[in-house]
Amino acid sequence: MDQASTLLASPVALSRHLPLLLYIASRSLSEFSYQVATVAVGWQIYALTGSVFYLGLAGLVQFIPSALLVFVAGHAADRYDRKRIAQLCELVQGLAAGYVGARLLADALTAPDLFIVLGVFGLAGAFESPASSALLPAVAPEAMLQRATALATGAWQVAAIGGPAVGGLAYAISPGAPFVLMAALSLIASALSGMIRAERVATSEHESLDGLFAGLHFVRSNPAILGTISLDLFAVLLGGATALLPIYAKDILQAGPWALGAMRAAPAIGALLMTAVIARHPIARRAGLRMFQAVIAFGLATIVFALSQTVWLSIAALVAMGAADTISVVVRVALVQLATPDAMRGRVGAVNFLFINASNQLGEFESGMAAALLGAMPAAALGGIGTIAIALLWIRLLPALREVDQLE
């Protein structure tokens, strides 16, 4: 509240910080709209196909565009107007969601329709994420960058919490309602992005494709950054139990769409709570070790979720997973931000997106495949065990990362 009050203390302050406020509003609406549709997409795919294979395939369809275009997207974010890239991506997502909503209202939606739209979502997200993350320093004065980051992170977490819950309620009213809502919110987010006036225009040292892979080279040349990103990558790949939430909600817990929405929101609730804790009590010492401990805790919570037979225990485990994941995210983001020059933020952000954000979709594919072979509960439990094993292995292989002390 103190941070928001500072920004809105007077009309002059409001005018001076209008680009930042527009940025936060557009990013929050974009994330909220995506989360609204996420619940409906999973439920629709499972309802249309009845197959855990196709449920996992949905993650792969979103991952492929990110994997193929990650370097192009990062290079574009460093060469072109970042706000225009974000605006266009939000517009495309809104139109795609509107198409699904119209097909559902006409009772003509098919599984191929959904997979095509998921591919469009993956394509738009591949370009939107590095552009948006690199845009933040350009809309906030340098003296307020940390405060702006805290506000943006908090707003994103609120959107991640509220979106799945609203999506579940909207789906209970009408299967097409979440997609219509996503379309409307995405178009509003696109309009807000177009209104942003950046205080500093991003420029790149590379005006040709020579710098296309500079972000990857930068990450590879920093062992601590490479270690923390790869650790998160494997943790997400093996611990992607969220892909199985429709199965848990419908078949294992037998609770319905409301439970799916609540479980979708649970990790974000844990993340928001942990964000508040870290804001009050920052990670001052032994940051590397704390990250490893958090990943192990994430794996243990995944195992609890996998074996749970009650809705509330499942939600509690997912909250714990979100809280543990936030600790590793804070360490990773701090390391990357401290070492990355502005001219390379788009390309480094694209590599980070591929390793972390896009690996969520690949993790969903892996979980779906494992569930098809082994069953949902064994697959989720093995994922948690694998996450713990990877963390213990990385502790041994990357002593430099384990010894990272302060995030300053």
Side-chain angles (χ1 to χ4, degrees):
M1 292 298 294
D2 292 340
Q3 294 171 344
S5 300
T6 300
L7 291 178
L8 303 175
S10 69
V12 174
L14 178 62
S15 175
R16 187 162 73 95
H17 298 293
L18 184 59
L20 173 60
L21 296 174
L22 288 172
Y23 171 87
I24 293 174
S26 64
R27 294 298 302 129
S28 300
L29 283 176
S30 179
E31 177 62 22
F32 186 90
S33 66
Y34 178 77
Q35 293 293 340
V36 164
T38 296
V39 175
V41 166
W43 196 268
Q44 271 294 321
I45 290 176
Y46 196 50
L48 287 172
T49 67
S51 169
V52 293
F53 172 81
Y54 285 110
L55 203 56
L57 188 61
L60 182 63
V61 169
Q62 294 181 79
F63 172 76
I64 289 174
S66 300
L68 295 178
L69 298 173
V70 56
F71 300 113
V72 175
H75 194 259
D78 284 335
R79 289 197 63 189
Y80 304 109
D81 191 338
R82 291 164 177 169
K83 76 167 186 178
R84 294 302 180 194
I85 294 174
Q87 181 185 22
L88 178 60
C89 291
E90 289 156 356
L91 175 62
V92 169
Q93 289 176 325
L95 294 176
Y99 170 78
V100 175
R103 295 283 288 177
L104 268 171
L105 294 175
D107 197 24
L109 184 69
T110 65
D113 288 331
L114 276 175
F115 284 113
I116 290 172
V117 169
L118 284 174
V120 173
F121 286 167
L123 176 65
F127 280 87
E128 182 186 14
S129 180
S132 296
S133 62
L135 180 61
L136 178 57
V139 299
E142 291 185 10
M144 290 192 60
L145 184 56
Q146 291 186 18
R147 181 172 294 176
T149 302
L151 283 171
T153 301
W156 187 92
Q157 295 291 359
V158 170
I161 293 169
V166 171
L169 293 174
Y171 191 91
I173 296 172
S174 169
F179 298 102
V180 173
L181 182 59
M182 179 188 181
L185 294 177
S186 295
L187 294 178
I188 294 173
S190 179
L192 292 175
S193 293
M195 296 168 62
I196 294 174
R197 293 184 60 187
E199 295 181 6
R200 298 186 300 278
V201 179
T203 58
S204 175
E205 298 175 359
H206 304 277
E207 296 300 329
S208 68
L209 294 181
D210 293 341
L212 194 64
F213 301 103
L216 180 60
H217 296 323
F218 178 84
V219 171
R220 288 181 59 187
S221 66
N222 289 266
I225 295 177
L226 179 60
T228 188
I229 290 178
S230 61
L231 178 62
D232 262 17
L233 167 66
F234 284 107
V236 171
L237 278 175
L238 296 173
T242 53
L244 307 178
L245 291 184
I247 301 173
Y248 272 83
K250 184 176 181 180
D251 296 337
I252 297 175
L253 303 175
Q254 298 181 351
W258 76 267
L260 178 59
M263 288 192 292
R264 281 283 187 185
I269 293 175
L272 184 60
L273 292 174
M274 184 54 68
T275 298
V277 171
I278 293 176
R280 182 174 290 272
H281 305 287
I283 301 173
R285 302 295 300 272
R286 307 183 74 180
L289 181 60
R290 296 289 178 265
M291 183 183 64
F292 282 117
Q293 292 171 338
V295 173
I296 292 172
F298 179 88
L300 291 172
T302 301
I303 295 172
V304 172
F305 168 79
L307 302 178
S308 171
Q309 297 287 321
T310 62
V311 173
W312 298 114
L313 179 58
S314 299
I315 291 174
L318 289 165
V319 169
M321 289 167 61
D325 184 58
T326 297
I327 297 174
S328 65
V329 168
V330 166
V331 175
R332 171 174 50 82
V333 170
L335 288 174
V336 172
Q337 290 296 330
L338 286 171
T340 307
D342 181 70
M344 288 186 60
R345 281 185 175 137
R347 283 162 290 176
V348 173
V351 174
N352 183 65
F353 175 75
L354 176 64
F355 273 72
I356 307 304
N357 299 76
S359 64
N360 281 286
Q361 286 86 46
L362 196 58
E364 291 178 2
F365 175 69
E366 179 275 332
S367 296
M369 298 304 97
L373 294 173
L374 306 173
M377 294 180 68
L382 285 175
I385 294 171
T387 298
I388 296 172
I390 287 294
L392 295 175
L393 180 61
W394 256 231
I395 290 176
R396 184 175 181 84
L397 295 179
L398 299 170
L401 180 57
R402 184 185 65 229
E403 297 300 324
V404 169
D405 189 30
Q406 297 180 340
L407 296 177
E408 296 181 4

